[in-house]
Amino acid sequence: MDPTLAAQMSEAVAEKMLRYRRDTAGWKICREGNGVSVSWRPSVEFPGNLYRGEGIVYGTPEEVWDCVKPAVGGLRVKWDENVTGFEIIQSITDTLCVSRTSTPSAAMKLISPRDFVDLVLVKRYEDGTISSNATHVEHPLCPPKPGFVRGFNHPCGCFCEPLPGEPTKTNLVTFFHTDLSGYLPQNVVDSFFPRSMTRFYANLQKAVKQFHE
């Protein structure tokens, strides 16, 4: 992928993510519990929903980021039940890459294994926030693979935000914005993401404790 185009695309995605983060209008809460809130609103990118999760994770932003960051051989594959593989297709800079993520079957196998090819930008902000910013791309080195339905992530990612006066806690805000493709009943998709995101926070908390105690 052309590095200049990749940089322009990824910065546009990061700007969009900041707008999602700041925009409080139109969100409808669909799941709450154990300190985690999941809400949604209709996507303007595809005929589906944009999901927003927010919750406190016990761990510093760096510790939390270490568990969620997109990295080959990273911790994410070890604890996230929705990730079975992660590889870098093209490394563009230290903070920008094209990746392929594979996911297992889900929802009692109603959702078959998926894979996603994304342009991913990592950003660090002056207040200590670390963010991932991703969107789907096509890449000649990663055509569709047998055994996987190719899904598409629209602008998505997360913010690991420090909490003032609480150095050992992180406010984690996540955005899931995924077209799973295939012929899935909408009610299956609508029930999958809120449940899956709630488990994401619970499993992440266990991982931070396990890997950073």
Side-chain angles (χ1 to χ4, degrees):
M1 185 174 187
D2 176 67
T4 303
L5 175 62
Q8 291 170 346
M9 278 183 66
S10 62
E11 285 296 342
V13 169
E15 283 298 317
K16 194 167 283 190
M17 288 287 294
L18 282 174
R19 289 201 297 274
Y20 292 162
R21 176 69 188 94
R22 293 166 180 158
D23 189 0
T24 57
W27 297 101
K28 299 175 184 175
I29 292 175
C30 54
R31 200 173 184 95
E32 279 186 304
N34 297 319
V36 177
S37 172
V38 179
S39 51
W40 68 277
R41 70 184 191 193
S43 171
V44 297
E45 307 274 347
F46 79 111
N49 297 325
L50 167 63
Y51 291 92
R52 180 187 193 278
E54 184 164 7
I56 303 299
V57 179
Y58 289 83
T60 66
E62 289 288 349
E63 290 170 345
V64 174
W65 175 249
D66 192 42
C67 288
V68 300
K69 67 183 179 184
V72 174
L75 297 176
R76 182 79 176 260
V77 176
K78 296 179 180 177
W79 65 265
D80 190 339
E81 63 192 29
N82 286 316
V83 176
T84 54
F86 179 85
E87 58 188 299
I88 301 291
I89 304 301
Q90 181 184 354
S91 181
I92 300 166
T93 70
D94 287 348
T95 58
L96 183 62
C97 70
V98 177
S99 68
R100 174 181 178 266
T101 306
S102 53
T103 65
S105 61
M108 296 182 290
K109 301 196 173 177
L110 289 172
I111 302 173
S112 58
R114 258 59 179 172
D115 71 349
F116 302 86
V117 178
D118 296 304
L119 179 66
V120 185
L121 174 67
V122 175
K123 286 188 74 92
R124 290 174 179 265
Y125 294 94
E126 288 182 2
D127 67 352
T129 295
I130 313 167
S131 75
S132 67
N133 309 268
T135 193
H136 70 90
V137 290
E138 291 187 4
H139 198 284
L141 296 179
C142 199
K145 298 198 173 190
F148 292 92
V149 174
R150 178 62 51 89
F152 302 96
N153 284 318
H154 295 275
C156 62
C158 71
F159 293 88
C160 297
E161 302 173 345
L163 280 172
E166 300 269 13
T168 60
K169 294 180 184 177
T170 299
N171 187 54
L172 179 66
V173 183
T174 55
F175 293 95
F176 287 74
H177 199 187
T178 303
D179 180 355
L180 290 171
S181 298
Y183 300 98
L184 292 171
Q186 193 60 42
N187 65 320
V188 171
V189 176
D190 291 345
S191 64
F192 169 72
F193 279 106
R195 278 204 314 268
S196 159
M197 290 172 66
T198 304
R199 288 200 304 269
F200 173 89
Y201 277 84
N203 290 336
L204 171 59
Q205 182 63 79
K206 291 175 189 171
V208 172
K209 189 173 182 182
Q210 176 184 349
F211 295 115
H212 290 287
E213 278 276 281

